Amino acid sequence: MSVTSRLRAMIDGDDIHIAPGAFDGLTARLVEEAGFDLIYGSGGAISRSAGFPDLGILSFSEVVTRYEHMASVTTVPIIADGDTGFGNQINASRMVKTYEQIGVAGLHIEDQTFPKRCGHLDDKTLVPVEEMAHKVRAVKAAQTDPDFVVIARTDAIASESFNAAIDRAHAYLDAGADCIFVEAPESVEQIEEIAKLIPQPKLINMFFGGKTPMVPKEKLRELGYRLVIIPSDLQRATITACRRTLEAIKRDGDSSSLRDEMVSFKEREAIIGTKDYLAL
């Protein structure tokens, strides 16, 4: 099955699939190596890995390059972050065509105004419902692979109200979205109510330290959630590991004191497939 067909089967099935957030080819390979059947290409983590906050600062071409790297070195489906479509309906149409060409399996697109903000930051503003619905229709019309998955995200809980978020979700489904992503529910009750009011396929963003409470994956599956993204945990762990290593190097002149916490040179080269490239 193609990556798009596999992602389509995931949202149509009865199981739940967790997608850790990758931000480059190496982290994408590590997610697949760990046995996950889905990768989330976190736009926020990509931006932060370039040294910028998640405020829509990177250009479309900069982001596409990262997704191209991820898709080139993995075999499992990747959900790409489409932000606000990188512009209006015309830009969003180009985005989906490009994402299809480089081999990602689906994307989510959101209803914030530009420049957007991380979904767990305050003071977000949204475009009108019909503008976002039009953008969803444009994205669906532009895709060429019928199995490519378009996920519509709404940030209305924080910006308008919970009821407005539900209304927006239904409007986006009516516009053709394959899956709904209601960002940043703030209680277990809201998570349950979203599941009750939106029977269609759903994605939830859940990570330790965010606005959304942690709910066991089996409970989420029972509620009808099919996809769980964990955008930034790998990056947060990476920052901690880098800081510890830098402290050791500054203190001792080398990192040998952390030898048990680092992969070997040989193991690193195995992860990225150096032997196969040299053989070729």
Side-chain angles (χ1 to χ4, degrees):
M1 296 176 67
S2 67
V3 290
T4 54
S5 297
R6 279 183 276 165
L7 180 56
R8 174 70 58 174
M10 289 179 190
I11 67 169
D12 290 341
D14 297 324
D15 205 353
I16 190 165
H17 304 268
I18 296 178
F23 49 91
D24 58 13
L26 176 59
T27 49
R29 287 192 79 132
L30 290 173
V31 173
E32 182 173 20
E33 180 190 63
F36 290 90
D37 59 3
L38 186 62
I39 296 169
Y40 175 55
S42 170
I46 289 172
S47 184
R48 295 182 190 103
S49 72
F52 300 106
D54 185 15
L55 297 174
I57 295 172
L58 294 188
S59 68
F60 176 57
S61 59
E62 290 174 303
V63 174
V64 165
T65 296
R66 290 293 186 92
Y67 289 136
E68 188 173 23
H69 292 166
M70 293 182 199
S72 295
V73 299
T74 56
T75 62
V76 300
I78 297 171
I79 297 174
D81 188 342
D83 279 352
T84 61
F86 298 93
N88 62 15
Q89 289 79 359
I90 298 171
N91 304 94
S93 296
R94 180 192 178 211
M95 173 191 67
V96 68
K97 291 176 182 178
T98 304
Y99 281 176
E100 279 190 308
Q101 290 168 359
I102 64 175
V104 301
L107 62 86
H108 68 72
I109 185 169
E110 65 199 66
D111 55 8
Q112 287 194 53
T113 56
F114 182 85
K116 55 79 49 100
R117 294 178 178 227
C118 168
H120 288 246
L121 292 177
D122 296 325
D123 301 322
K124 296 176 289 185
T125 57
L126 309 187
V127 299
V129 176
E130 182 50 39
E131 180 178 338
M132 175 62 177
H134 183 30
K135 193 173 285 187
V136 171
R137 288 191 292 268
V139 167
K140 290 298 296 180
Q143 73 181 76
T144 57
D145 182 345
D147 283 337
F148 189 88
V149 174
V150 175
I151 303 162
R153 163 179 155 177
T154 179
D155 287 71
I157 289 180
S159 302
E160 296 177 348
S161 69
F162 178 81
N163 289 337
I166 299 301
D167 290 342
R168 281 177 173 268
H170 284 294
Y172 305 159
L173 285 166
D174 290 342
D178 302 302
C179 182
I180 285 296
F181 173 10
V182 179
E183 173 66 303
E186 297 176 352
S187 67
V188 175
E189 290 74 21
Q190 285 189 349
I191 294 172
E192 293 173 343
E193 194 69 4
I194 291 167
K196 177 182 176 182
L197 297 173
I198 305 173
Q200 292 88 345
K202 291 171 291 295
L203 176 153
I204 188 168
N205 175 10
M206 184 167 291
F207 60 93
F208 179 72
K211 289 187 175 182
T212 301
M214 306 298 289
V215 176
K217 68 175 184 178
E218 186 56 32
K219 174 64 174 179
L220 292 172
R221 188 194 68 78
E222 292 172 359
L223 289 171
Y225 291 91
R226 294 294 167 255
L227 308 175
V228 182
I229 58 172
I230 306 177
S232 60
D233 285 15
L234 287 183
Q235 189 166 65
R236 292 160 68 188
T238 298
I239 291 170
T240 298
C242 286
R243 281 177 167 171
R244 290 191 62 185
T245 305
L246 290 167
E247 288 170 1
I249 292 172
K250 188 173 183 179
R251 180 185 66 244
D252 305 328
D254 61 63
S255 61
S256 58
S257 63
L258 301 176
R259 61 176 62 87
D260 294 334
E261 299 180 32
M262 297 191 298
V263 300
S264 66
F265 180 93
K266 184 177 180 180
E267 184 178 356
R268 183 193 62 193
E269 298 308 300
I271 291 169
I272 60 175
T274 299
K275 182 178 179 181
D276 295 333
Y277 283 100
L278 291 176
L280 180 63

PDB file of all heavy atoms in Angstrom, residues 206-235:
ATOM      1  N   MET A 206      -1.474  16.001  21.774  1.00  0.00           N
ATOM      2  CA  MET A 206      -1.335  15.763  23.209  1.00  0.00           C
ATOM      3  C   MET A 206       0.131  15.592  23.574  1.00  0.00           C
ATOM      4  O   MET A 206       0.820  14.719  23.041  1.00  0.00           O
ATOM      5  CB  MET A 206      -2.122  14.505  23.606  1.00  0.00           C
ATOM      6  CG  MET A 206      -2.131  14.221  25.089  1.00  0.00           C
ATOM      7  SD  MET A 206      -3.374  12.979  25.495  1.00  0.00           S
ATOM      8  CE  MET A 206      -4.873  13.913  25.178  1.00  0.00           C
ATOM      9  N   PHE A 207       0.605  16.464  24.431  1.00  0.00           N
ATOM     10  CA  PHE A 207       1.986  16.351  24.881  1.00  0.00           C
ATOM     11  C   PHE A 207       2.096  16.867  26.306  1.00  0.00           C
ATOM     12  O   PHE A 207       1.312  17.711  26.744  1.00  0.00           O
ATOM     13  CB  PHE A 207       2.937  17.128  23.958  1.00  0.00           C
ATOM     14  CG  PHE A 207       2.650  18.609  23.877  1.00  0.00           C
ATOM     15  CD1 PHE A 207       3.299  19.502  24.718  1.00  0.00           C
ATOM     16  CD2 PHE A 207       1.740  19.106  22.958  1.00  0.00           C
ATOM     17  CE1 PHE A 207       3.040  20.868  24.655  1.00  0.00           C
ATOM     18  CE2 PHE A 207       1.472  20.468  22.879  1.00  0.00           C
ATOM     19  CZ  PHE A 207       2.125  21.349  23.724  1.00  0.00           C
ATOM     20  N   PHE A 208       3.049  16.335  27.036  1.00  0.00           N
ATOM     21  CA  PHE A 208       3.244  16.711  28.433  1.00  0.00           C
ATOM     22  C   PHE A 208       3.624  18.185  28.527  1.00  0.00           C
ATOM     23  O   PHE A 208       4.544  18.653  27.863  1.00  0.00           O
ATOM     24  CB  PHE A 208       4.339  15.858  29.065  1.00  0.00           C
ATOM     25  CG  PHE A 208       4.622  16.206  30.493  1.00  0.00           C
ATOM     26  CD1 PHE A 208       3.721  15.872  31.485  1.00  0.00           C
ATOM     27  CD2 PHE A 208       5.768  16.887  30.845  1.00  0.00           C
ATOM     28  CE1 PHE A 208       3.969  16.202  32.817  1.00  0.00           C
ATOM     29  CE2 PHE A 208       6.033  17.224  32.162  1.00  0.00           C
ATOM     30  CZ  PHE A 208       5.119  16.879  33.159  1.00  0.00           C
ATOM     31  N   GLY A 209       2.867  18.935  29.358  1.00  0.00           N
ATOM     32  CA  GLY A 209       3.164  20.341  29.572  1.00  0.00           C
ATOM     33  C   GLY A 209       2.329  21.291  28.748  1.00  0.00           C
ATOM     34  O   GLY A 209       2.467  22.506  28.881  1.00  0.00           O
ATOM     35  N   GLY A 210       1.449  20.765  27.875  1.00  0.00           N
ATOM     36  CA  GLY A 210       0.600  21.623  27.073  1.00  0.00           C
ATOM     37  C   GLY A 210      -0.714  21.956  27.772  1.00  0.00           C
ATOM     38  O   GLY A 210      -0.935  21.587  28.930  1.00  0.00           O
ATOM     39  N   LYS A 211      -1.603  22.632  27.061  1.00  0.00           N
ATOM     40  CA  LYS A 211      -2.894  23.017  27.632  1.00  0.00           C
ATOM     41  C   LYS A 211      -3.850  21.840  27.745  1.00  0.00           C
ATOM     42  O   LYS A 211      -4.785  21.864  28.551  1.00  0.00           O
ATOM     43  CB  LYS A 211      -3.535  24.117  26.778  1.00  0.00           C
ATOM     44  CG  LYS A 211      -2.858  25.468  26.877  1.00  0.00           C
ATOM     45  CD  LYS A 211      -3.648  26.530  26.130  1.00  0.00           C
ATOM     46  CE  LYS A 211      -3.031  27.910  26.335  1.00  0.00           C
ATOM     47  NZ  LYS A 211      -3.825  28.964  25.648  1.00  0.00           N
ATOM     48  N   THR A 212      -3.641  20.827  26.922  1.00  0.00           N
ATOM     49  CA  THR A 212      -4.546  19.688  26.892  1.00  0.00           C
ATOM     50  C   THR A 212      -4.121  18.649  27.918  1.00  0.00           C
ATOM     51  O   THR A 212      -2.951  18.255  27.956  1.00  0.00           O
ATOM     52  CB  THR A 212      -4.546  19.060  25.489  1.00  0.00           C
ATOM     53  OG1 THR A 212      -4.951  20.045  24.541  1.00  0.00           O
ATOM     54  CG2 THR A 212      -5.504  17.882  25.413  1.00  0.00           C
ATOM     55  N   PRO A 213      -5.049  18.188  28.770  1.00  0.00           N
ATOM     56  CA  PRO A 213      -4.686  17.173  29.762  1.00  0.00           C
ATOM     57  C   PRO A 213      -4.324  15.853  29.094  1.00  0.00           C
ATOM     58  O   PRO A 213      -4.781  15.550  27.998  1.00  0.00           O
ATOM     59  CB  PRO A 213      -5.962  17.033  30.610  1.00  0.00           C
ATOM     60  CG  PRO A 213      -7.069  17.488  29.714  1.00  0.00           C
ATOM     61  CD  PRO A 213      -6.478  18.568  28.860  1.00  0.00           C
ATOM     62  N   MET A 214      -3.489  15.081  29.765  1.00  0.00           N
ATOM     63  CA  MET A 214      -3.072  13.786  29.243  1.00  0.00           C
ATOM     64  C   MET A 214      -4.196  12.764  29.447  1.00  0.00           C
ATOM     65  O   MET A 214      -4.739  12.641  30.548  1.00  0.00           O
ATOM     66  CB  MET A 214      -1.803  13.313  29.944  1.00  0.00           C
ATOM     67  CG  MET A 214      -0.658  14.319  29.908  1.00  0.00           C
ATOM     68  SD  MET A 214      -0.082  14.693  28.239  1.00  0.00           S
ATOM     69  CE  MET A 214       0.726  13.151  27.826  1.00  0.00           C
ATOM     70  N   VAL A 215      -4.517  12.057  28.388  1.00  0.00           N
ATOM     71  CA  VAL A 215      -5.537  11.014  28.436  1.00  0.00           C
ATOM     72  C   VAL A 215      -4.928   9.741  27.863  1.00  0.00           C
ATOM     73  O   VAL A 215      -4.282   9.793  26.810  1.00  0.00           O
ATOM     74  CB  VAL A 215      -6.794  11.420  27.621  1.00  0.00           C
ATOM     75  CG1 VAL A 215      -7.819  10.290  27.596  1.00  0.00           C
ATOM     76  CG2 VAL A 215      -7.414  12.688  28.183  1.00  0.00           C
ATOM     77  N   PRO A 216      -5.100   8.586  28.526  1.00  0.00           N
ATOM     78  CA  PRO A 216      -4.521   7.346  27.995  1.00  0.00           C
ATOM     79  C   PRO A 216      -4.988   7.066  26.570  1.00  0.00           C
ATOM     80  O   PRO A 216      -6.138   7.349  26.219  1.00  0.00           O
ATOM     81  CB  PRO A 216      -5.039   6.275  28.969  1.00  0.00           C
ATOM     82  CG  PRO A 216      -5.305   7.018  30.236  1.00  0.00           C
ATOM     83  CD  PRO A 216      -5.791   8.373  29.808  1.00  0.00           C
ATOM     84  N   LYS A 217      -4.094   6.508  25.774  1.00  0.00           N
ATOM     85  CA  LYS A 217      -4.424   6.302  24.357  1.00  0.00           C
ATOM     86  C   LYS A 217      -5.605   5.366  24.169  1.00  0.00           C
ATOM     87  O   LYS A 217      -6.379   5.524  23.223  1.00  0.00           O
ATOM     88  CB  LYS A 217      -3.203   5.802  23.585  1.00  0.00           C
ATOM     89  CG  LYS A 217      -2.743   4.403  23.939  1.00  0.00           C
ATOM     90  CD  LYS A 217      -1.596   3.977  23.018  1.00  0.00           C
ATOM     91  CE  LYS A 217      -1.178   2.543  23.278  1.00  0.00           C
ATOM     92  NZ  LYS A 217      -0.093   2.095  22.363  1.00  0.00           N
ATOM     93  N   GLU A 218      -5.778   4.378  25.052  1.00  0.00           N
ATOM     94  CA  GLU A 218      -6.902   3.461  24.907  1.00  0.00           C
ATOM     95  C   GLU A 218      -8.224   4.183  25.134  1.00  0.00           C
ATOM     96  O   GLU A 218      -9.221   3.901  24.468  1.00  0.00           O
ATOM     97  CB  GLU A 218      -6.765   2.286  25.880  1.00  0.00           C
ATOM     98  CG  GLU A 218      -7.820   1.205  25.707  1.00  0.00           C
ATOM     99  CD  GLU A 218      -7.886   0.640  24.294  1.00  0.00           C
ATOM    100  OE1 GLU A 218      -6.838   0.582  23.618  1.00  0.00           O
ATOM    101  OE2 GLU A 218      -9.002   0.265  23.867  1.00  0.00           O
ATOM    102  N   LYS A 219      -8.232   5.132  26.075  1.00  0.00           N
ATOM    103  CA  LYS A 219      -9.433   5.939  26.305  1.00  0.00           C
ATOM    104  C   LYS A 219      -9.729   6.794  25.076  1.00  0.00           C
ATOM    105  O   LYS A 219     -10.897   6.921  24.658  1.00  0.00           O
ATOM    106  CB  LYS A 219      -9.219   6.828  27.532  1.00  0.00           C
ATOM    107  CG  LYS A 219     -10.348   7.827  27.799  1.00  0.00           C
ATOM    108  CD  LYS A 219     -11.660   7.135  28.137  1.00  0.00           C
ATOM    109  CE  LYS A 219     -12.709   8.149  28.547  1.00  0.00           C
ATOM    110  NZ  LYS A 219     -14.019   7.519  28.858  1.00  0.00           N
ATOM    111  N   LEU A 220      -8.693   7.388  24.491  1.00  0.00           N
ATOM    112  CA  LEU A 220      -8.886   8.182  23.279  1.00  0.00           C
ATOM    113  C   LEU A 220      -9.433   7.320  22.138  1.00  0.00           C
ATOM    114  O   LEU A 220     -10.306   7.752  21.387  1.00  0.00           O
ATOM    115  CB  LEU A 220      -7.566   8.823  22.854  1.00  0.00           C
ATOM    116  CG  LEU A 220      -7.013   9.917  23.773  1.00  0.00           C
ATOM    117  CD1 LEU A 220      -5.609  10.312  23.332  1.00  0.00           C
ATOM    118  CD2 LEU A 220      -7.930  11.136  23.788  1.00  0.00           C
ATOM    119  N   ARG A 221      -8.925   6.104  22.028  1.00  0.00           N
ATOM    120  CA  ARG A 221      -9.417   5.202  20.983  1.00  0.00           C
ATOM    121  C   ARG A 221     -10.896   4.905  21.176  1.00  0.00           C
ATOM    122  O   ARG A 221     -11.682   4.919  20.223  1.00  0.00           O
ATOM    123  CB  ARG A 221      -8.621   3.901  20.986  1.00  0.00           C
ATOM    124  CG  ARG A 221      -8.937   2.982  19.800  1.00  0.00           C
ATOM    125  CD  ARG A 221      -8.403   1.588  20.007  1.00  0.00           C
ATOM    126  NE  ARG A 221      -9.116   0.902  21.075  1.00  0.00           N
ATOM    127  CZ  ARG A 221     -10.330   0.356  20.945  1.00  0.00           C
ATOM    128  NH1 ARG A 221     -10.958   0.395  19.785  1.00  0.00           N
ATOM    129  NH2 ARG A 221     -10.902  -0.237  21.969  1.00  0.00           N
ATOM    130  N   GLU A 222     -11.296   4.650  22.414  1.00  0.00           N
ATOM    131  CA  GLU A 222     -12.700   4.365  22.707  1.00  0.00           C
ATOM    132  C   GLU A 222     -13.590   5.558  22.371  1.00  0.00           C
ATOM    133  O   GLU A 222     -14.742   5.392  21.951  1.00  0.00           O
ATOM    134  CB  GLU A 222     -12.867   3.989  24.182  1.00  0.00           C
ATOM    135  CG  GLU A 222     -12.230   2.650  24.546  1.00  0.00           C
ATOM    136  CD  GLU A 222     -12.255   2.399  26.035  1.00  0.00           C
ATOM    137  OE1 GLU A 222     -12.759   3.276  26.790  1.00  0.00           O
ATOM    138  OE2 GLU A 222     -11.759   1.336  26.474  1.00  0.00           O
ATOM    139  N   LEU A 223     -13.048   6.763  22.535  1.00  0.00           N
ATOM    140  CA  LEU A 223     -13.815   7.968  22.236  1.00  0.00           C
ATOM    141  C   LEU A 223     -13.919   8.226  20.729  1.00  0.00           C
ATOM    142  O   LEU A 223     -14.743   9.040  20.303  1.00  0.00           O
ATOM    143  CB  LEU A 223     -13.167   9.180  22.911  1.00  0.00           C
ATOM    144  CG  LEU A 223     -13.289   9.257  24.435  1.00  0.00           C
ATOM    145  CD1 LEU A 223     -12.417  10.380  24.993  1.00  0.00           C
ATOM    146  CD2 LEU A 223     -14.744   9.452  24.855  1.00  0.00           C
ATOM    147  N   GLY A 224     -13.080   7.556  19.948  1.00  0.00           N
ATOM    148  CA  GLY A 224     -13.148   7.723  18.500  1.00  0.00           C
ATOM    149  C   GLY A 224     -12.015   8.519  17.885  1.00  0.00           C
ATOM    150  O   GLY A 224     -12.042   8.810  16.682  1.00  0.00           O
ATOM    151  N   TYR A 225     -11.023   8.882  18.683  1.00  0.00           N
ATOM    152  CA  TYR A 225      -9.844   9.543  18.118  1.00  0.00           C
ATOM    153  C   TYR A 225      -8.991   8.491  17.412  1.00  0.00           C
ATOM    154  O   TYR A 225      -8.808   7.392  17.912  1.00  0.00           O
ATOM    155  CB  TYR A 225      -9.033  10.242  19.206  1.00  0.00           C
ATOM    156  CG  TYR A 225      -9.735  11.449  19.784  1.00  0.00           C
ATOM    157  CD1 TYR A 225     -10.568  11.331  20.904  1.00  0.00           C
ATOM    158  CD2 TYR A 225      -9.581  12.701  19.204  1.00  0.00           C
ATOM    159  CE1 TYR A 225     -11.234  12.431  21.424  1.00  0.00           C
ATOM    160  CE2 TYR A 225     -10.240  13.808  19.728  1.00  0.00           C
ATOM    161  CZ  TYR A 225     -11.058  13.675  20.836  1.00  0.00           C
ATOM    162  OH  TYR A 225     -11.721  14.766  21.342  1.00  0.00           O
ATOM    163  N   ARG A 226      -8.490   8.846  16.238  1.00  0.00           N
ATOM    164  CA  ARG A 226      -7.725   7.891  15.452  1.00  0.00           C
ATOM    165  C   ARG A 226      -6.248   8.264  15.342  1.00  0.00           C
ATOM    166  O   ARG A 226      -5.405   7.398  15.141  1.00  0.00           O
ATOM    167  CB  ARG A 226      -8.336   7.777  14.044  1.00  0.00           C
ATOM    168  CG  ARG A 226      -9.726   7.161  14.052  1.00  0.00           C
ATOM    169  CD  ARG A 226      -9.687   5.704  14.489  1.00  0.00           C
ATOM    170  NE  ARG A 226     -11.000   5.160  14.803  1.00  0.00           N
ATOM    171  CZ  ARG A 226     -11.455   4.922  16.030  1.00  0.00           C
ATOM    172  NH1 ARG A 226     -10.673   5.209  17.070  1.00  0.00           N
ATOM    173  NH2 ARG A 226     -12.642   4.404  16.242  1.00  0.00           N
ATOM    174  N   LEU A 227      -5.924   9.551  15.461  1.00  0.00           N
ATOM    175  CA  LEU A 227      -4.552  10.010  15.332  1.00  0.00           C
ATOM    176  C   LEU A 227      -4.180  10.868  16.531  1.00  0.00           C
ATOM    177  O   LEU A 227      -4.950  11.734  16.944  1.00  0.00           O
ATOM    178  CB  LEU A 227      -4.366  10.824  14.046  1.00  0.00           C
ATOM    179  CG  LEU A 227      -4.834  10.184  12.727  1.00  0.00           C
ATOM    180  CD1 LEU A 227      -4.689  11.185  11.588  1.00  0.00           C
ATOM    181  CD2 LEU A 227      -4.070   8.913  12.430  1.00  0.00           C
ATOM    182  N   VAL A 228      -3.008  10.627  17.075  1.00  0.00           N
ATOM    183  CA  VAL A 228      -2.474  11.437  18.179  1.00  0.00           C
ATOM    184  C   VAL A 228      -1.104  11.944  17.755  1.00  0.00           C
ATOM    185  O   VAL A 228      -0.213  11.144  17.447  1.00  0.00           O
ATOM    186  CB  VAL A 228      -2.332  10.624  19.481  1.00  0.00           C
ATOM    187  CG1 VAL A 228      -1.821  11.521  20.609  1.00  0.00           C
ATOM    188  CG2 VAL A 228      -3.641   9.964  19.866  1.00  0.00           C
ATOM    189  N   ILE A 229      -0.931  13.253  17.714  1.00  0.00           N
ATOM    190  CA  ILE A 229       0.388  13.808  17.416  1.00  0.00           C
ATOM    191  C   ILE A 229       1.031  14.304  18.707  1.00  0.00           C
ATOM    192  O   ILE A 229       0.358  14.834  19.594  1.00  0.00           O
ATOM    193  CB  ILE A 229       0.323  14.944  16.370  1.00  0.00           C
ATOM    194  CG1 ILE A 229      -0.588  16.078  16.833  1.00  0.00           C
ATOM    195  CG2 ILE A 229      -0.121  14.391  15.016  1.00  0.00           C
ATOM    196  CD1 ILE A 229      -0.533  17.315  15.934  1.00  0.00           C
ATOM    197  N   ILE A 230       2.326  14.085  18.810  1.00  0.00           N
ATOM    198  CA  ILE A 230       3.105  14.552  19.966  1.00  0.00           C
ATOM    199  C   ILE A 230       4.233  15.396  19.390  1.00  0.00           C
ATOM    200  O   ILE A 230       5.347  14.907  19.152  1.00  0.00           O
ATOM    201  CB  ILE A 230       3.624  13.368  20.796  1.00  0.00           C
ATOM    202  CG1 ILE A 230       2.454  12.442  21.181  1.00  0.00           C
ATOM    203  CG2 ILE A 230       4.356  13.855  22.038  1.00  0.00           C
ATOM    204  CD1 ILE A 230       2.858  11.209  21.944  1.00  0.00           C
ATOM    205  N   PRO A 231       3.968  16.670  19.122  1.00  0.00           N
ATOM    206  CA  PRO A 231       4.833  17.478  18.241  1.00  0.00           C
ATOM    207  C   PRO A 231       6.260  17.700  18.699  1.00  0.00           C
ATOM    208  O   PRO A 231       7.184  17.608  17.888  1.00  0.00           O
ATOM    209  CB  PRO A 231       4.082  18.806  18.134  1.00  0.00           C
ATOM    210  CG  PRO A 231       2.665  18.476  18.477  1.00  0.00           C
ATOM    211  CD  PRO A 231       2.758  17.401  19.506  1.00  0.00           C
ATOM    212  N   SER A 232       6.460  18.023  19.978  1.00  0.00           N
ATOM    213  CA  SER A 232       7.763  18.607  20.330  1.00  0.00           C
ATOM    214  C   SER A 232       8.559  17.831  21.367  1.00  0.00           C
ATOM    215  O   SER A 232       9.625  18.283  21.779  1.00  0.00           O
ATOM    216  CB  SER A 232       7.541  20.033  20.855  1.00  0.00           C
ATOM    217  OG  SER A 232       6.706  20.014  22.004  1.00  0.00           O
ATOM    218  N   ASP A 233       8.094  16.657  21.784  1.00  0.00           N
ATOM    219  CA  ASP A 233       8.808  15.943  22.844  1.00  0.00           C
ATOM    220  C   ASP A 233      10.218  15.539  22.437  1.00  0.00           C
ATOM    221  O   ASP A 233      11.160  15.627  23.236  1.00  0.00           O
ATOM    222  CB  ASP A 233       8.013  14.706  23.271  1.00  0.00           C
ATOM    223  CG  ASP A 233       6.805  15.066  24.121  1.00  0.00           C
ATOM    224  OD1 ASP A 233       6.433  16.252  24.140  1.00  0.00           O
ATOM    225  OD2 ASP A 233       6.230  14.167  24.764  1.00  0.00           O
ATOM    226  N   LEU A 234      10.395  15.080  21.191  1.00  0.00           N
ATOM    227  CA  LEU A 234      11.744  14.713  20.748  1.00  0.00           C
ATOM    228  C   LEU A 234      12.672  15.917  20.777  1.00  0.00           C
ATOM    229  O   LEU A 234      13.836  15.811  21.174  1.00  0.00           O
ATOM    230  CB  LEU A 234      11.695  14.135  19.332  1.00  0.00           C
ATOM    231  CG  LEU A 234      11.114  12.733  19.158  1.00  0.00           C
ATOM    232  CD1 LEU A 234      11.225  12.309  17.706  1.00  0.00           C
ATOM    233  CD2 LEU A 234      11.815  11.727  20.051  1.00  0.00           C
ATOM    234  N   GLN A 235      12.157  17.061  20.362  1.00  0.00           N
ATOM    235  CA  GLN A 235      12.994  18.254  20.344  1.00  0.00           C
ATOM    236  C   GLN A 235      13.332  18.728  21.749  1.00  0.00           C
ATOM    237  O   GLN A 235      14.473  19.128  22.023  1.00  0.00           O
ATOM    238  CB  GLN A 235      12.296  19.368  19.574  1.00  0.00           C
ATOM    239  CG  GLN A 235      13.184  20.574  19.330  1.00  0.00           C
ATOM    240  CD  GLN A 235      12.595  21.500  18.304  1.00  0.00           C
ATOM    241  OE1 GLN A 235      11.546  22.089  18.540  1.00  0.00           O
ATOM    242  NE2 GLN A 235      13.243  21.616  17.162  1.00  0.00           N
TER     243      GLN A 235
END
